[in-house]
Amino acid sequence: MKNMIIFTKKIMFTQSVYINRRNNLKSKGLKGIGLILGNTESPMNYAANTYKFRQDSTFLYFFGLNLSNLAGVIDFDNGEEYIFGDDVEIDDIIWMGPQPTMKELASQVGVNKVLPFNNLYEYISKQVNLNREIHFLPPYRAENKILLNELLGISIKELKTKSSVELVRAVVSLRSIKSDEEIAEMEIAAEIGYKMHMCVFKMAKPGIKEQEIAGMMDGISYQYGEGPSFPTILSVHGETLHNPYHNNIMQSGQLLLADAGAQANSFYASDYTRVTPVSGKFTQKQKEIYEIVRRANQNTIEISAPGQKYLDIHLAAAKVIASGLIELGLMKGNPDEAIAKGAHTLFFVHGLGHMLGLDVHDMEDLGENYVGYDNELNRSTEFGTGSLRFARTLKPGMVVTDEPGIYFIPALIEKWKAENKLSEFINYNQVEKYLDFGGIRLEDDILITDNGCRLIGKRLPITIDEVENAMKE
Ligand SMILES: [Mn+2]
């Protein structure tokens, strides 16, 4: 049987990587039981027709197995580790081919105690009766909410607030710092992301439907990896931040914004944004705005280093943007005062970036503020700056995105103008000439190193010359 295995989901790293990760988690001082649930298959339009399976990232990180219906348990008090999961039966083999046993699979990640999935109910109820603390992470899928409700008797509405902040903090502290083998996987995701975006430079031209390019990009992400790291954004309406619509026919004079990335076969992610002129050449007006965003993007790479707060790097990008817009006559006054009042957020409506790893917004399921903020840093409640997902002090091994943008969102401009909002910093008469401009965002993925940072992956064309040349080829 062993030699006949025709279907196994590959374990990415060596056994010792997973053993070390769990040992590191055990050293965080938690007491009681850590329950880490894998994901289940999720129906698309009927039970047997499921979405492409995506394992939970924290389960992948500690238990490595890319199969549905598994749960991992770590007993923090005696060090024991379990995987709960079922061996396949003859019906499964008929449809899916021969499979390794759960015991064989679990041993690949260094876990020796394997029990049938249904034993999880008995195991957890025994721990509850012994008054032991059960640490679990905030669930984001309905199936796991129901399972936790059944296991723990906590109502579905309360699961988030009763999840373990201690476990969340411990997981975030480990997953935030990427090891060399993780960086190597992120380089693979970057290479796929590079290929996806290069097809935009080659394909964008008047008369082409957005869907043709978006479909090609997604195809490439499956050709070399596990598919897109999030639904591909490709739109001539870049001013709509997460535009999922791909049915526009591109016209000369428009800007095409592509924000997309890939998951490597190990599920590590990349995330890039580029903007191309559909005609192959930027207009003067487009060049001027593009160049401000490019400088803001470049500035991040020049100043990001251990010890710096990403909030300050975000504000430095805001300053490049405000200064550039003042020079162009769209804003006025002193850039520092304008930023202090939030005037730049009419254009730069979001944060500079987010952490990247096994998730494209890494660990967002655990709570954005646990990932991006810490005890010394409270999240702003202001429009714009409050959207910054990641603000805390940079450390070597962190991977973050650098994605400044300038957008002309007609509804927002009209609202601010009607309120005469911050008119001491904004030339509304000039801004109105840009209502049909669209939006520009430029995004790269950066790794914080011991003394600064470096880009992950080969850099996509980004200067005006590089972009126009790439479109010619
Ligand atoms: Mn991003």
Side-chain angles (χ1 to χ4, degrees):
M1 190 74 155
K2 223 174 180 178
N3 297 325
M4 286 174 56
I5 291 169
I6 54 166
F7 171 91
T8 49
K9 298 208 176 174
K10 203 175 150 210
I11 313 298
M12 256 313 136
F13 300 120
T14 56
Q15 191 192 56
S16 63
V17 167
Y18 299 102
I19 294 173
N20 288 339
R21 287 173 175 180
R22 292 192 302 271
N23 284 343
N24 289 337
L25 183 61
K26 288 180 199 169
S27 74
K28 292 286 177 184
L30 284 98
K31 299 263 172 272
I33 302 291
L35 171 61
I36 296 173
L37 298 178
N39 280 336
T40 58
E41 298 281 0
S42 202
M44 203 158 54
N45 49 347
Y46 51 92
N49 198 23
T50 56
Y51 289 103
K52 184 173 162 58
F53 177 69
R54 177 57 157 83
Q55 184 58 288
D56 175 75
S57 296
T58 299
F59 185 88
L60 267 182
Y61 184 83
F62 290 108
F63 292 94
L65 299 178
N66 181 30
L67 291 164
S68 65
N69 292 79
L70 301 177
V73 163
I74 300 174
D75 187 322
F76 294 118
D77 301 329
N78 67 15
E80 284 181 354
E81 300 165 339
Y82 300 83
I83 288 179
F84 290 84
D86 297 327
D87 283 327
V88 293
E89 289 170 3
I90 185 67
D91 280 353
D92 306 305
I93 294 169
I94 290 165
W95 290 96
M96 299 159 65
Q99 309 287 316
T101 64
M102 273 316 302
K103 220 164 171 59
E104 287 168 330
L105 288 166
S107 76
Q108 290 183 46
V109 294
V111 176
N112 307 317
K113 296 188 170 61
V114 177
L115 293 165
F117 193 86
N118 273 336
N119 288 30
L120 184 63
Y121 292 86
E122 189 194 323
Y123 174 87
I124 292 291
S125 91
K126 198 168 145 194
Q127 307 308 322
V128 169
N129 290 337
L130 291 169
N131 263 329
R132 301 187 68 196
E133 196 172 347
I134 315 286
H135 298 272
F136 61 93
L137 300 171
Y140 53 91
R141 286 208 184 179
E143 293 87 347
N144 278 344
K145 290 180 186 178
I146 294 167
L147 176 63
L148 285 169
N149 166 261
E150 288 173 354
L151 289 170
L152 301 166
I154 299 171
S155 78
I156 284 172
K157 276 188 185 150
E158 284 181 319
L159 282 168
K160 196 173 174 189
T161 52
K162 293 201 170 165
S163 63
S164 169
V165 173
E166 261 182 290
L167 182 59
V168 165
R169 287 192 195 280
V171 171
V172 168
S173 75
L174 294 174
R175 284 181 55 191
S176 289
I177 306 298
K178 272 66 182 179
S179 63
D180 291 347
E181 69 262 2
E182 289 181 287
I183 301 299
E185 290 301 321
M186 296 189 76
E187 297 276 1
I188 293 169
E191 204 180 316
I192 307 169
Y194 182 89
K195 289 187 171 109
M196 290 165 75
H197 278 271
M198 284 314 289
C199 87
V200 185
F201 292 100
K202 290 188 189 114
M203 287 177 75
K205 51 172 76 73
I208 299 276
K209 196 177 183 186
E210 293 163 342
Q211 186 178 347
E212 294 176 53
I213 303 181
M216 197 64 86
M217 293 171 85
D218 288 0
I220 292 169
S221 73
Y222 287 112
Q223 190 179 359
Y224 298 101
E226 286 287 332
S229 51
F230 60 98
T232 293
I233 297 165
L234 183 103
S235 179
V236 291
H237 286 290
E239 75 279 10
T240 303
L241 298 187
H242 283 178
N243 199 336
Y245 182 80
H246 292 152
N247 287 324
N248 295 303
I249 309 281
M250 291 170 218
Q251 290 166 26
S252 186
Q254 287 178 323
L255 291 173
L256 178 66
L257 183 148
D259 181 351
Q263 303 181 85
N265 287 127
S266 56
F267 297 98
Y268 284 88
S270 61
D271 185 7
Y272 296 106
T273 309
R274 286 295 185 267
V275 171
T276 48
V278 170
S279 68
K281 286 263 174 209
F282 289 99
T283 65
Q284 183 57 31
K285 197 175 176 184
Q286 289 167 343
K287 275 184 190 171
E288 288 166 355
I289 301 292
Y290 185 97
E291 198 48 25
I292 299 170
V293 180
R294 193 197 62 77
R295 287 205 305 268
N297 166 290
Q298 188 60 33
N299 188 59
T300 304
I301 298 164
E302 276 154 26
I303 64 176
S304 291
Q308 300 281 339
K309 282 190 177 58
Y310 213 54
L311 173 63
D312 294 330
I313 313 277
H314 166 87
L315 292 171
K319 185 158 179 182
V320 174
I321 287 171
S323 306
L325 292 174
I326 289 168
E327 224 171 282
L328 273 185
L330 294 174
M331 290 180 70
K332 56 189 168 180
N334 174 296
D336 291 312
E337 286 170 22
I339 289 163
K341 292 269 168 64
H344 65 291
T345 65
L346 176 59
F347 310 98
F348 182 22
V349 294
H350 57 70
L352 182 62
H354 49 86
M355 207 173 240
L356 186 72
L358 275 168
D359 308 298
V360 68
H361 289 177
D362 210 19
M363 301 174 275
E364 200 162 282
D365 59 313
L366 305 183
E368 258 178 49
N369 291 350
Y370 293 118
V371 179
Y373 291 79
D374 55 22
N375 295 335
E376 22 177 303
L377 209 57
N378 281 322
R379 190 162 184 163
S380 163
T381 52
E382 299 290 320
F383 175 73
T385 311
S387 304
L388 182 62
R389 289 190 160 90
F390 182 84
R392 67 188 162 107
T393 304
L394 297 172
K395 289 181 189 165
M398 286 181 170
V399 179
V400 292
T401 64
D402 164 22
E403 48 179 315
I406 294 179
Y407 309 90
F408 294 91
I409 304 168
L412 187 65
I413 293 167
E414 278 154 25
K415 181 169 185 283
W416 280 38
K417 193 194 173 197
E419 295 165 4
N420 208 25
K421 188 169 168 180
L422 297 169
S423 56
E424 65 273 37
F425 298 111
I426 295 163
N427 279 323
Y428 284 105
N429 291 340
Q430 285 302 312
V431 173
E432 284 192 316
K433 295 176 186 162
Y434 287 74
L435 286 175
D436 62 352
F437 185 92
I440 292 178
R441 172 165 70 255
L442 295 171
E443 176 176 28
D444 289 302
D445 303 339
I446 60 177
L447 166 68
I448 307 304
T449 57
D450 288 335
N451 42 28
C453 73
R454 70 165 177 87
L455 293 168
I456 298 219
K458 182 173 159 194
R459 197 169 206 189
L460 284 158
I462 190 163
T463 66
I464 284 168
D465 282 348
E466 286 167 357
V467 169
E468 292 183 349
N469 285 334
M471 293 186 75
K472 256 186 247 163
E473 282 158 18

